[in-house]
Amino acid sequence: MTQCTHMAPVDRIFSIFQQHGHRHYGENVSELEHALQTAEFAKQSGESDTIVLSCLLHDYGHMLHDLGEEIAQHGVDARHEVIGARLLQDLFPEVILEPIRQHVAAKRYLCWKIPTYAQELSESSRLSLQLQGGPMNDAEAQNFETNPHFAACLKVRRYDDMGKVPGMQTADLESYRGPINRFLLESP
Ligand SMILES: [Fe+2]
């Protein structure tokens, strides 16, 4: 992993996508394509920039562990949602970080809430679900509903589930430079 501290934060983030975004996401799209598609669906649905940026960055941690591609198929849960949120924690406000941190929890919650949800998940999402603890239990779900960013967490999860379309046209990474710079906690 290369994170040059002399680079502007937005360039550090983009360099991670450029170095690792080619990794196979697991559904015939790369990590970069998956990130751009997830953000694109949020944008097309008229979501706020904070939701769009959470979508863009929700799998940032996937690109920054060294456990290889498609690790779920090898029975490993890298806790990529926690890794990603931690790496971004000094850069962005909680309104962006929490849906990143909770996007696996949101999947587990939706499996509890909507009986058919798990069937709609992609194959690799269903596979990783088991490693991530399976559907929430009642107590976990009720606790998750009290999260101040609960609604945003569910939205990001829904766009995450959509962003797996081979060959889909999207805006490019550079188009997010302005929105990222607007929400950075430190000046670029
Ligand atoms: Fe994702």
Side-chain angles (χ1 to χ4, degrees):
M1 163 177 42
T2 304
Q3 290 226 58
C4 302
T5 48
H6 63 272
M7 293 170 80
V10 66
D11 289 321
R12 291 207 303 271
I13 292 168
F14 284 2
S15 77
I16 295 301
F17 278 105
Q18 282 147 7
Q19 288 175 63
H20 304 291
H22 61 275
R23 281 187 181 183
H24 186 43
Y25 175 73
E27 356 245 345
N28 294 320
V29 293
S30 67
E31 287 285 355
L32 175 59
E33 288 171 321
H34 174 60
L36 292 174
Q37 289 181 18
T38 304
E40 188 76 31
F41 281 118
K43 222 169 29 172
Q44 287 176 3
S45 300
E47 299 293 355
S48 64
D49 281 349
T50 58
I51 297 270
V52 172
L53 291 180
S54 294
C55 286
L56 181 74
L57 299 169
H58 76 280
D59 276 341
Y60 192 69
H62 251 170
M63 297 186 290
L64 290 165
H65 62 66
D66 295 319
L67 299 172
E69 304 177 21
E70 300 175 37
I71 55 168
Q73 292 180 13
H74 303 292
V76 177
D77 174 19
R79 301 298 315 275
H80 72 281
E81 71 281 15
V82 177
I83 294 171
R86 196 182 304 135
L87 286 161
L88 296 167
Q89 70 185 0
D90 295 332
L91 299 179
F92 293 105
E94 276 299 301
V95 67
I96 291 173
L97 295 176
E98 186 66 355
I100 296 172
R101 194 180 290 121
Q102 301 295 344
H103 78 272
V104 170
K107 176 170 71 170
R108 296 184 57 229
Y109 173 84
L110 287 166
C111 287
W112 170 84
K113 180 77 176 174
I114 304 169
T116 56
Y117 174 76
Q119 296 157 25
E120 296 163 17
L121 287 171
S122 65
E123 194 184 330
S124 66
S125 282
R126 276 202 306 274
L127 181 64
S128 58
L129 173 66
Q130 298 315 314
L131 297 169
Q132 291 156 345
M136 283 186 171
N137 60 35
D138 292 355
E140 287 175 317
Q142 283 151 16
N143 183 50
F144 189 51
E145 287 172 349
T146 68
N147 186 307
H149 302 289
F150 171 69
C153 293
L154 294 195
K155 283 185 175 182
V156 170
R157 182 70 227 180
R158 290 299 205 170
Y159 298 122
D160 177 8
D161 292 334
M162 296 164 71
K164 306 173 181 186
V165 184
M168 177 180 163
Q169 293 296 309
T170 64
D172 63 9
L173 194 56
E174 192 60 36
S175 69
Y176 295 99
R177 180 178 292 273
I180 287 174
N181 279 333
R182 273 202 300 285
F183 285 96
L184 280 172
L185 297 177
E186 53 181 278
S187 51

